Amino acid sequence: MRGSVVGSGLVHLVMLLVLLIVRGPAAMIVPGPDVVQVALVDPASPLLAVPRPEPPPEPRKQETVRPVDEEGVKLEPKKPPKPKPEQERPREKPPEPAPVMLPSAPAGTAGLRGDVAVEGANFEFTYYLVLIRNKIASNWAPPAGLATSGNPIRAVVYFKVSRGGGLSAVRMESASGVEFFDRSAMRAVALSDPLPPLPLGFAGGELGVHFGFEWESP
């Protein structure tokens, strides 16, 4: 009888193991405290709906822009504007002083009339101009065979007198149109070099003289 009890126990043990293997382990649920989520909201304030975040926009495909003209347009550099010339007002020239004049008068013995003018208005030595006229007139002679038919002819010779009386820059300032007469005037001035020295009271270093020759055949 004891052996049957042991055998029966073994049979039950084997059946229990088979049941455990077939059913598998049962999930065990451990009871715990209930969790309740509570939001503290002011009952006076209206409920705000939480906006849903908008999905990000899809990135656009960048289109490659190609120029119509492959070479392109060449832009020339801008030239700086030319400065406008300032319009200067024409300066008014000061009135030139009237030259000292020794009026035309007979000089020498050949029928010549001579007049003398000098540059500048600060020459006050008239006697010196008389000396110039007398010396030049004494060295002048009318050209042989020259006839004016009663019409006077005139020429003006310009020259400069240095402090010592020497002549320079001799030139024909106004020709008469008669070559022989013009040559005789230039020759008379050349023969008069040197003239008397400039007056001591004259402050300039030289004196410009315009000597007029006027003659008509008898």
Side-chain angles (χ1 to χ4, degrees), residues 137-154:
S138 64
N139 291 320
W140 183 83
L146 178 61
T148 62
S149 303
N151 297 322
I153 55 178
R154 175 179 171 81

Side-chain angles (χ1 to χ4, degrees), residues 66-212:
R66 296 181 179 179
V68 179
D69 190 358
E70 294 181 356
E71 296 182 357
V73 180
K74 296 181 179 179
L75 297 178
E76 296 182 356
K78 293 184 179 181
K79 297 181 179 180
K82 296 182 179 179
K84 296 181 179 180
E86 297 182 358
Q87 297 180 355
E88 296 183 357
R89 296 181 180 179
R91 297 180 180 178
E92 297 181 358
K93 295 182 179 180
E96 297 181 358
V100 178
M101 293 287 297
L102 192 64
S104 178
T109 58
L112 177 70
R113 296 179 66 89
D115 56 83
V116 184
V118 297
E119 294 177 342
N122 57 344
F123 193 82
E124 301 175 354
F125 307 94
T126 307
Y127 78 92
Y128 184 77
L129 302 182
V130 175
L131 294 177
I132 291 177
R133 181 170 64 182
N134 291 341
K135 184 170 184 178
I136 293 177
S138 64
N139 291 320
W140 183 83
L146 178 61
T148 62
S149 303
N151 297 322
I153 55 178
R154 175 179 171 81
V156 179
V157 178
Y158 174 81
F159 54 88
K160 291 183 179 181
V161 185
S162 65
R163 291 294 310 177
L167 302 185
S168 63
V170 181
R171 59 181 173 83
M172 179 63 63
E173 185 176 58
S174 177
S176 65
V178 181
E179 185 179 359
F180 294 154
F181 184 78
D182 294 342
R183 287 182 179 179
S184 66
M186 293 287 291
R187 181 174 180 274
V189 173
L191 292 175
S192 302
D193 186 15
L195 290 171
L198 293 176
L200 296 176
F202 178 63
E206 60 183 7
L207 179 68
V209 179
H210 308 264
F211 193 97

